[in-house]
Amino acid sequence: MRSPRPLAVVRAMLVSLAGALACAACSTNSPAVASVQKKVQGLLGQPNVTSFLDVRFGDSLYRVQNRFPNGSLETAPYGADTYRINNIEVDGVRYQQVKYEFTTYSGMQLVMAWFTPDSSGKVLEKLVAAVGPPTEQNSAKSSAPADTQAAWQLPHGERVLFDGPKRFVAVVGPGGGPLKQDAAENDTALDTP
């Protein structure tokens, strides 16, 4: 792994926030698409993100391959194992692509998803329902979801980023620090199969 450069570090922080958003994009009522589950832990009384599309943070690559056998194994720009799924729809949310990234010792710790334009509203709605109002928001509260950028920093280390204009959501799990650079680079464009 290369040592982080200042621009890469800033990108990584933005991507980390995106990661948290991605996982939250699914409500607890939609176990198939993004079964983002809320948990109340400790005295914080705030939710944390535990999964995305029924893949839990910490799951092995093997488990994700079994869950989605039609996906493909790739290597991320900084060397992490990545599992990519194309064209999946769950609970009315259509994703053009979903990528899960894995750390050597902590399993799946980053999910990045690119959704279709007509799914923006549902993704943002599910995120807010799962983890509450965003920590940061770069648009007026009355703006359309397609024009909204928002981020959540959750109490257990998860970071979520929602970028409506780029149709991108990312969630970095509590052990996803090494994957922040990958998330930052991937928020700029949809990789085509």
PDB file of all heavy atoms in Angstrom, residues 1 78 80 101 103 109 175-182:
ATOM      1  N   MET A   1       0.825  -1.184   0.000  1.00  0.00           N
ATOM      2  CA  MET A   1       0.000   0.000   0.000  1.00  0.00           C
ATOM      3  C   MET A   1       0.865   1.240   0.000  1.00  0.00           C
ATOM      4  O   MET A   1       1.849   1.312   0.703  1.00  0.00           O
ATOM      5  CB  MET A   1      -0.866   0.000   1.260  1.00  0.00           C
ATOM      6  CG  MET A   1      -2.286  -0.059   0.980  1.00  0.00           C
ATOM      7  SD  MET A   1      -3.208   0.102   2.529  1.00  0.00           S
ATOM      8  CE  MET A   1      -4.704  -0.475   1.894  1.00  0.00           C
ATOM      9  N   TYR A  78      -5.838  -0.085  -4.450  1.00  0.00           N
ATOM     10  CA  TYR A  78      -4.817  -0.183  -3.414  1.00  0.00           C
ATOM     11  C   TYR A  78      -4.623  -1.610  -2.923  1.00  0.00           C
ATOM     12  O   TYR A  78      -4.074  -1.840  -1.863  1.00  0.00           O
ATOM     13  CB  TYR A  78      -5.137   0.773  -2.267  1.00  0.00           C
ATOM     14  CG  TYR A  78      -4.969   2.206  -2.696  1.00  0.00           C
ATOM     15  CD1 TYR A  78      -6.048   2.928  -3.172  1.00  0.00           C
ATOM     16  CD2 TYR A  78      -3.720   2.802  -2.671  1.00  0.00           C
ATOM     17  CE1 TYR A  78      -5.878   4.234  -3.606  1.00  0.00           C
ATOM     18  CE2 TYR A  78      -3.541   4.109  -3.097  1.00  0.00           C
ATOM     19  CZ  TYR A  78      -4.622   4.824  -3.567  1.00  0.00           C
ATOM     20  OH  TYR A  78      -4.446   6.107  -4.007  1.00  0.00           O
ATOM     21  N   ALA A  80      -6.932  -4.169  -2.213  1.00  0.00           N
ATOM     22  CA  ALA A  80      -7.941  -4.914  -1.452  1.00  0.00           C
ATOM     23  C   ALA A  80      -8.747  -5.828  -2.374  1.00  0.00           C
ATOM     24  O   ALA A  80      -8.994  -5.505  -3.533  1.00  0.00           O
ATOM     25  CB  ALA A  80      -8.890  -3.942  -0.739  1.00  0.00           C
ATOM     26  N   GLU A 101     -15.673  -4.331  -0.450  1.00  0.00           N
ATOM     27  CA  GLU A 101     -14.225  -4.460  -0.301  1.00  0.00           C
ATOM     28  C   GLU A 101     -13.902  -5.065   1.060  1.00  0.00           C
ATOM     29  O   GLU A 101     -14.612  -4.833   2.042  1.00  0.00           O
ATOM     30  CB  GLU A 101     -13.525  -3.103  -0.455  1.00  0.00           C
ATOM     31  CG  GLU A 101     -13.451  -2.671  -1.904  1.00  0.00           C
ATOM     32  CD  GLU A 101     -12.459  -1.549  -2.151  1.00  0.00           C
ATOM     33  OE1 GLU A 101     -11.556  -1.308  -1.307  1.00  0.00           O
ATOM     34  OE2 GLU A 101     -12.589  -0.905  -3.190  1.00  0.00           O
ATOM     35  N   THR A 103     -10.881  -6.221   4.067  1.00  0.00           N
ATOM     36  CA  THR A 103      -9.554  -6.098   4.655  1.00  0.00           C
ATOM     37  C   THR A 103      -9.077  -7.505   4.997  1.00  0.00           C
ATOM     38  O   THR A 103      -9.872  -8.440   5.095  1.00  0.00           O
ATOM     39  CB  THR A 103      -9.566  -5.235   5.932  1.00  0.00           C
ATOM     40  OG1 THR A 103     -10.364  -5.878   6.921  1.00  0.00           O
ATOM     41  CG2 THR A 103     -10.095  -3.833   5.657  1.00  0.00           C
ATOM     42  N   GLN A 109     -15.499  -4.442   4.845  1.00  0.00           N
ATOM     43  CA  GLN A 109     -15.495  -3.194   5.606  1.00  0.00           C
ATOM     44  C   GLN A 109     -15.855  -1.976   4.767  1.00  0.00           C
ATOM     45  O   GLN A 109     -15.888  -0.866   5.277  1.00  0.00           O
ATOM     46  CB  GLN A 109     -14.132  -2.966   6.269  1.00  0.00           C
ATOM     47  CG  GLN A 109     -13.859  -3.913   7.411  1.00  0.00           C
ATOM     48  CD  GLN A 109     -14.817  -3.719   8.568  1.00  0.00           C
ATOM     49  OE1 GLN A 109     -15.186  -2.610   8.926  1.00  0.00           O
ATOM     50  NE2 GLN A 109     -15.250  -4.825   9.168  1.00  0.00           N
ATOM     51  N   GLY A 175     -14.047  -1.048  10.859  1.00  0.00           N
ATOM     52  CA  GLY A 175     -12.670  -1.476  10.615  1.00  0.00           C
ATOM     53  C   GLY A 175     -12.196  -1.144   9.216  1.00  0.00           C
ATOM     54  O   GLY A 175     -11.249  -1.738   8.714  1.00  0.00           O
ATOM     55  N   GLY A 176     -12.832  -0.178   8.573  1.00  0.00           N
ATOM     56  CA  GLY A 176     -12.540   0.110   7.167  1.00  0.00           C
ATOM     57  C   GLY A 176     -11.523   1.187   6.896  1.00  0.00           C
ATOM     58  O   GLY A 176     -11.381   1.628   5.754  1.00  0.00           O
ATOM     59  N   GLY A 177     -10.773   1.629   7.894  1.00  0.00           N
ATOM     60  CA  GLY A 177      -9.781   2.681   7.693  1.00  0.00           C
ATOM     61  C   GLY A 177      -8.844   2.448   6.516  1.00  0.00           C
ATOM     62  O   GLY A 177      -8.609   3.352   5.719  1.00  0.00           O
ATOM     63  N   PRO A 178      -8.300   1.228   6.345  1.00  0.00           N
ATOM     64  CA  PRO A 178      -7.387   0.991   5.228  1.00  0.00           C
ATOM     65  C   PRO A 178      -8.036   1.113   3.849  1.00  0.00           C
ATOM     66  O   PRO A 178      -7.340   1.211   2.849  1.00  0.00           O
ATOM     67  CB  PRO A 178      -6.916  -0.453   5.449  1.00  0.00           C
ATOM     68  CG  PRO A 178      -7.176  -0.749   6.884  1.00  0.00           C
ATOM     69  CD  PRO A 178      -8.361   0.090   7.258  1.00  0.00           C
ATOM     70  N   LEU A 179      -9.363   1.106   3.785  1.00  0.00           N
ATOM     71  CA  LEU A 179     -10.053   1.138   2.491  1.00  0.00           C
ATOM     72  C   LEU A 179     -10.543   2.534   2.101  1.00  0.00           C
ATOM     73  O   LEU A 179     -11.144   2.707   1.050  1.00  0.00           O
ATOM     74  CB  LEU A 179     -11.244   0.176   2.526  1.00  0.00           C
ATOM     75  CG  LEU A 179     -10.912  -1.269   2.882  1.00  0.00           C
ATOM     76  CD1 LEU A 179     -12.166  -2.110   2.966  1.00  0.00           C
ATOM     77  CD2 LEU A 179      -9.931  -1.857   1.879  1.00  0.00           C
ATOM     78  N   LYS A 180     -10.300   3.529   2.925  1.00  0.00           N
ATOM     79  CA  LYS A 180     -10.812   4.874   2.657  1.00  0.00           C
ATOM     80  C   LYS A 180     -10.348   5.421   1.311  1.00  0.00           C
ATOM     81  O   LYS A 180     -11.103   6.078   0.616  1.00  0.00           O
ATOM     82  CB  LYS A 180     -10.404   5.835   3.772  1.00  0.00           C
ATOM     83  CG  LYS A 180     -11.118   5.589   5.066  1.00  0.00           C
ATOM     84  CD  LYS A 180     -10.630   6.561   6.115  1.00  0.00           C
ATOM     85  CE  LYS A 180     -11.278   6.284   7.450  1.00  0.00           C
ATOM     86  NZ  LYS A 180     -10.753   7.188   8.480  1.00  0.00           N
ATOM     87  N   GLN A 181      -9.098   5.163   0.937  1.00  0.00           N
ATOM     88  CA  GLN A 181      -8.599   5.679  -0.337  1.00  0.00           C
ATOM     89  C   GLN A 181      -9.362   5.074  -1.508  1.00  0.00           C
ATOM     90  O   GLN A 181      -9.666   5.777  -2.475  1.00  0.00           O
ATOM     91  CB  GLN A 181      -7.107   5.402  -0.484  1.00  0.00           C
ATOM     92  CG  GLN A 181      -6.262   6.293   0.402  1.00  0.00           C
ATOM     93  CD  GLN A 181      -4.792   5.996   0.232  1.00  0.00           C
ATOM     94  OE1 GLN A 181      -4.380   4.842   0.277  1.00  0.00           O
ATOM     95  NE2 GLN A 181      -4.010   7.039   0.039  1.00  0.00           N
ATOM     96  N   ASP A 182      -9.661   3.795  -1.440  1.00  0.00           N
ATOM     97  CA  ASP A 182     -10.417   3.159  -2.516  1.00  0.00           C
ATOM     98  C   ASP A 182     -11.787   3.804  -2.651  1.00  0.00           C
ATOM     99  O   ASP A 182     -12.262   4.062  -3.745  1.00  0.00           O
ATOM    100  CB  ASP A 182     -10.577   1.659  -2.262  1.00  0.00           C
ATOM    101  CG  ASP A 182      -9.291   0.902  -2.502  1.00  0.00           C
ATOM    102  OD1 ASP A 182      -8.398   1.442  -3.193  1.00  0.00           O
ATOM    103  OD2 ASP A 182      -9.185  -0.227  -2.015  1.00  0.00           O
TER     104      ASP A 182
END
